[in-house]
Amino acid sequence: MSDTQDASDDLSGLGGFFFYVFIIHPCTAWILRPGRFERKKSIMYAIAFLAAVAAIKSGVEMQARGPNHYQKLGVSRASNPLAIKRAYKKKSLELHPDKNKAEDASDQFDAIKQAYDVLMDMELREVYNKFGDEGIKNNKRYNENQFLVEVGIFYVTWGLMAFMLTLGKKSGEARNWTFTGLVVMLVLEIAIISSSGNPLPSWLFPTWTEYEIVWLLHSLFPAFMNGCRSLGAFLYVDLDAQSRQLLLALQEQGKDVLLVLRDVQISIQSMHAGGTIAAGSTTATAVPVGGGPMARATPTGKLKELQDRLQTSNTNVAQAVKQLKNDGNKGSSSMGFYLMIIGYIVISYMFSS
């Protein structure tokens, strides 16, 4: 892990933020544009695109940081001093300047010697695991107050950025998802750094330090945040607008009912006035239709017309109600809370195993 890379972590994080906001987010919005793909395919393509970009970007940045001390010696994070000593002897024989003809043979040999010195000193090893090379240089130790200040600055800054980027009605769910991820990441970071021992399972990135795990979380968060923004806007449903449409449909249905009932009332009154309806009689008056032949307008016919109109209106209202219920269930704001609880349970299980 180079000095230059350690010094430029903050700039790298800021650069990643602008990269995702001004380049990746518009590309994701293009994929999710309505009508470009089917709804399910659009979501799948967007998630795959974001995952690929995040994996490639993080991989390139990790490669630029160079191997850590465990990777230089070819040992795991859980290796004991005896295994580290054996690995060092093997590597020192391979990379000794007398046998290694590479131009930087001396630098390679010095690198494994430095890695050996750090990993064999249990105190330095713990500092290296928690804070990296920078912690070794600055003789840094875990201090709860200092740690809380540093964590507070980072998460408050990103929380404000996330809040500003998710302002607006369409971004409500995206804001919930983003802050849920932020809380899960905070819990994970506190569990990693504040633990006195090695809290990570041996099978999880066996050659990575806790410092690098936290760096990876910080590196992936901008991708996660902008993915939430894009998908949240795509899946947004305006329930108020659908409610207004439903009310308008009900209003039109009521108008149809009143109109047909008024026609039936007028028809019956006309029949009574003309003496065409007797007790038990179903005779009706003749009414011209469209300038054509005379059509018989009966109460039964008017009621049949009312029934047809009501069936049409009921179909429209039923569709609006169904869509409103489905979208209301999709837009449940409690989903973020449940995901946060599940994430916390998974994290707790990982670190207790």
Side-chain angles (χ1 to χ4, degrees):
M1 198 177 300
S2 65
D3 299 346
T4 304
Q5 186 65 40
D6 286 335
S8 63
D9 276 347
D10 292 338
L11 292 177
S12 176
L14 188 60
F17 169 75
F18 287 114
F19 170 72
Y20 282 110
V21 170
F22 295 109
I23 298 179
I24 300 303
H25 180 65
C27 293
T28 310
W30 181 86
I31 295 174
L32 293 172
R33 184 174 298 172
R36 190 172 301 281
F37 304 107
E38 295 180 5
R39 185 178 178 86
K40 291 183 178 180
K41 288 184 177 180
S42 296
I43 296 175
M44 291 175 58
Y45 292 159
I47 293 176
F49 171 71
L50 288 169
V53 170
I56 293 173
K57 183 176 181 298
S58 297
V60 170
E61 291 177 351
M62 194 66 192
Q63 190 71 22
R65 297 171 73 90
N68 63 25
H69 290 341
Y70 294 99
Q71 294 163 349
K72 289 175 184 176
L73 293 178
V75 296
S76 69
R77 190 175 57 242
S79 297
N80 56 36
L82 181 59
I84 293 173
K85 189 173 183 179
R86 290 174 179 173
Y88 170 70
K89 286 184 177 181
K90 181 179 179 181
K91 283 287 184 180
S92 63
L93 291 175
E94 293 177 1
L95 300 178
H96 195 278
D98 293 341
K99 294 184 178 181
N100 186 8
K101 303 305 180 182
E103 295 181 358
D104 60 342
S106 179
D107 293 336
Q108 293 180 17
F109 187 79
D110 290 341
I112 64 168
K113 180 64 170 64
Q114 181 185 7
Y116 174 76
D117 292 339
V118 170
L119 297 185
M120 288 298 290
D121 187 318
M122 300 308 295
E123 185 178 357
L124 289 181
R125 182 175 177 177
E126 183 176 357
V127 172
Y128 177 76
N129 287 342
K130 302 291 186 184
F131 307 108
D133 281 331
E134 184 181 358
I136 298 292
K137 295 171 194 174
N138 299 331
N139 196 25
K140 189 172 182 179
R141 297 294 186 270
Y142 174 74
N143 181 280
E144 184 176 356
N145 294 331
Q146 182 181 359
F147 171 69
L148 292 177
V149 170
E150 293 175 353
V151 167
I153 291 174
F154 176 85
Y155 283 94
V156 167
T157 301
W158 276 104
L160 290 175
M161 287 184 182
F163 179 77
M164 295 298 294
L165 290 174
T166 55
L167 287 174
K169 194 174 181 181
K170 290 185 177 181
S171 300
E173 282 300 305
R175 188 182 308 113
N176 292 338
W177 300 339
T178 301
F179 280 104
T180 298
L182 202 63
V183 170
V184 171
M185 189 170 71
L186 173 61
V187 171
L188 183 57
E189 181 172 349
I190 292 176
I192 290 174
I193 301 300
S194 63
S195 175
S196 58
N198 189 341
L200 297 174
S202 59
W203 51 263
L204 180 64
F205 302 113
T207 61
W208 283 35
T209 65
E210 295 96 306
Y211 175 77
E212 289 172 323
I213 296 290
V214 172
W215 169 85
L216 180 64
L217 292 174
H218 292 180
S219 177
L220 293 177
F221 180 73
F224 173 76
M225 179 180 66
N226 283 280
C228 291
R229 289 178 61 208
S230 300
L231 292 174
F234 178 74
L235 298 174
Y236 170 73
V237 176
D238 192 346
L239 298 180
D240 293 337
Q242 290 199 350
S243 298
R244 288 193 294 270
Q245 292 178 358
L246 176 59
L247 291 176
L248 289 174
L250 291 173
Q251 185 181 27
E252 292 298 323
Q253 177 177 315
K255 290 180 180 179
D256 288 341
V257 172
L258 290 176
L259 181 62
V260 174
L261 287 177
R262 186 177 301 171
D263 290 342
V264 171
Q265 183 182 16
I266 293 174
S267 176
I268 294 175
Q269 289 177 351
S270 299
M271 293 175 184
H272 279 291
T276 58
I277 296 181
S281 175
T282 60
T283 309
T285 57
V287 179
V289 178
M294 301 294 285
R296 306 295 293 180
T298 64
T300 303
K302 288 294 183 180
L303 292 176
K304 184 64 172 64
E305 180 183 355
L306 174 62
Q307 183 180 5
D308 294 339
R309 290 192 181 186
L310 286 177
Q311 287 178 349
T312 302
S313 298
N314 284 335
T315 300
N316 296 333
V317 173
Q319 290 177 351
V321 171
K322 182 179 179 180
Q323 183 68 23
L324 192 62
K325 288 182 177 179
N326 291 338
D327 294 332
N329 292 333
K330 292 179 182 178
S332 176
S333 60
S334 62
M335 182 61 67
F337 175 77
Y338 295 139
L339 288 176
M340 183 177 67
I341 297 299
I342 293 173
Y344 182 78
I345 293 174
V346 171
I347 292 169
S348 301
Y349 173 78
M350 287 173 57
F351 289 105
S352 62
S353 61

